[in-house]
Every structure is written in structure tokens, then in C-alpha cells.
Amino acid sequence: EADIYQTPRYLVIGTGKKITLECSQTMGHDKMYWYQQDPGMELHLIHYSYGVNSTEKGDLSSESTVSRIRTEHFPLTLESARPSHTSQYLCASSELDSRYEQYFGPGTRLTVT
Amino acid sequence: SQKIEQNSEALNIQEGKTATLTCNYTNYSPAYLQWYRQDPGRGPVFLLLIRENEKEKRKERLKVTFDTTLKQSLFHITASQPADSATYLCAHGSGGGADGLTFGKGTHLIIQP
């Protein structure tokens, strides 16, 4: 099991609410990533970080934002949740860069009603 | 745009036989390919990475090949077991300046006892 954690595992929330999905890793990895995955579909990169104070947008445009104040912590925030945000959100980390294996957390299943 | 194609239809294999999964890529020449296993409701788990200058990579009952001429990678599981049933994902670097991985939809493998 990889040492990367996500909370909550499941979240059902109403439209317009602000939410933060937590991701932490204890491996000391500089590189961290957020992916979005709909059922039966591929993972899409939405954010990544090279290290503290570094955040970049991924391939898939997302209304979410991320921050990286500490190496081990990479939270994702939605200021105003909408039903279109319903999806699975997966956090990952890597020791070096995407040429090397990524370690994934268990994911957060978000449902916006 | 870069594209990874996997046969997303379920692949049924009898226990003990060899399962072979296919990953094709277009519009890109990746320097490496990665294979992951994903169980329902869980994050992907890294299995193998193969670089463009490697024809074949093995790990226990797993074998991956990389044919840059055919733009294809094959993933083999020998002596398959019901516990091997899962979705297997192929991925390569996102490129285009974005770090992170581009994933295929995955192939759902079912090993029947």
C-alpha cells in the first residue's frame, strides 16, 4: 500500500457549497497530481505541482483550484460545487517526474446534488 | 492530440491461461509506457514501466512489450488467476509541457475459475 491518503472517501453535497478534498503523502515526494475520473472513463490530469508553492493546470480544464503550502499536503478546492463536478477525484505523487511510477490515493467519490 | 487506445470491452479468460491486453498510441512517440491495475472504487496501482529502447520487461507473471514500429504495447499475464481480475490501464507522459500521465480507458479483465 502506498502512503498517500485522501479524505473524505465519499462526499455528497448540495449545489453551491464550497468543498475541499484533502490529499496527503508521507513519502516526501515533490511531485503531486490530481486526476478526475468518471465511471468507465479514463483518468484526466487536472492539476499538478512540482513542489512547495508550485501549482500548474493539467490537460483537462477544471474549475477547481489547488494549493501546495507543505510538501506532504496538496488539497483541491471547489468554491461553488455544481452537479457537473460529480466525479471521482484521485490524488497521486511521484518521486521524480512522470517518467517514473506514480502512487495513487484511494480517491474521493464526489456527488453534487 | 495524443491518444491511447485500449479495448475497453471486457476480456474473459479461463483461469490458468495467458491474458494478453493491447495498448495502441497515436499522434505521439512516447519515450516510455506505464501499466497500472485498478480495482473498483480504488486508485490505480503501478505494475510495470517499459522504455522505448526496451523490447520487453518482466515482473513475476507479468510481461510487457513495446513495439515502436507498430505503436503498440502488449501486456501479458501468464498462469492467470481469478485474483487478477481488474481493469488494467496503459499510460504515457502527457507531454506538451504538462507533467503527469495520459491514460487509456483501460481493459476490464475477468479471469473465470
Side-chain angles (χ1 to χ4, degrees):
Chain A
E1 288 286 319
D3 296 320
I4 181 163
Y5 310 98
Q6 289 185 246
T7 57
R9 289 293 313 278
Y10 304 93
L11 179 61
V12 180
I13 202 161
T15 298
K17 299 291 186 183
K18 177 180 179 179
I19 59 171
T20 297
L21 307 184
E22 301 288 349
C23 175
S24 295
Q25 51 96 3
T26 58
M27 296 173 282
H29 290 168
D30 284 326
K31 296 293 182 67
M32 294 191 73
Y33 311 85
W34 277 101
Y35 293 87
Q36 184 175 341
Q37 185 181 32
D38 292 325
M41 301 298 288
E42 60 268 56
L43 282 78
H44 289 287
L45 180 70
I46 52 174
H47 299 283
Y48 62 98
S49 168
Y50 291 113
V52 172
N53 295 325
S54 157
T55 61
E56 304 285 346
K57 291 194 177 294
D59 304 321
L60 181 68
S61 176
S62 174
E63 294 170 342
S64 59
T65 59
V66 293
S67 62
R68 191 87 183 278
I69 298 173
R70 303 199 313 267
T71 298
E72 63 272 20
H73 196 212
F74 191 40
L76 181 146
T77 299
L78 278 164
E79 290 293 333
S80 179
R82 296 210 299 265
S84 61
H85 297 140
T86 294
S87 189
Q88 167 128 324
Y89 293 85
L90 290 155
C91 180
S93 71
S94 176
E95 184 174 357
L96 293 171
D97 57 36
S98 61
R99 293 171 295 171
Y100 299 85
E101 63 184 285
Q102 295 192 4
Y103 297 87
F104 282 83
T108 294
R109 168 71 63 188
L110 173 65
T111 302
V112 184
T113 61
Chain B
S1 60
Q2 302 165 23
K3 195 170 182 182
I4 285 190
E5 294 177 349
Q6 295 183 260
N7 186 355
S8 57
E9 294 179 8
L11 178 63
N12 286 275
I13 300 292
Q14 189 176 4
E15 182 178 7
K17 302 292 186 183
T18 296
T20 299
L21 286 64
T22 304
C23 173
N24 296 295
Y25 56 91
T26 58
N27 301 327
Y28 188 53
S29 295
Y32 62 90
L33 287 169
Q34 299 190 26
W35 284 87
Y36 289 78
R37 168 181 173 146
Q38 187 174 26
D39 291 287
R42 307 287 294 273
V45 175
F46 172 80
L47 296 174
L48 282 168
L49 180 151
I50 185 165
R51 304 186 193 284
E52 61 179 343
N53 60 349
E54 299 173 317
K55 296 295 185 188
E56 181 180 296
K57 203 80 167 282
R58 290 176 183 263
K59 179 183 176 183
E60 297 174 349
R61 295 185 294 111
L62 309 180
K63 184 178 83 171
V64 172
T65 62
F66 194 176
D67 190 325
T68 55
T69 301
L70 293 178
K71 292 184 180 292
Q72 182 181 82
S73 175
L74 298 179
F75 178 83
H76 306 271
I77 304 175
T78 59
S80 59
Q81 304 166 1
D84 295 326
S85 299
T87 297
Y88 291 86
L89 310 175
C90 177
H92 66 59
S94 297
D99 200 2
L101 294 172
T102 294
F103 283 86
K105 288 184 181 180
T107 296
H108 183 43
L109 176 65
I110 301 169
I111 306 299
Q112 297 174 332

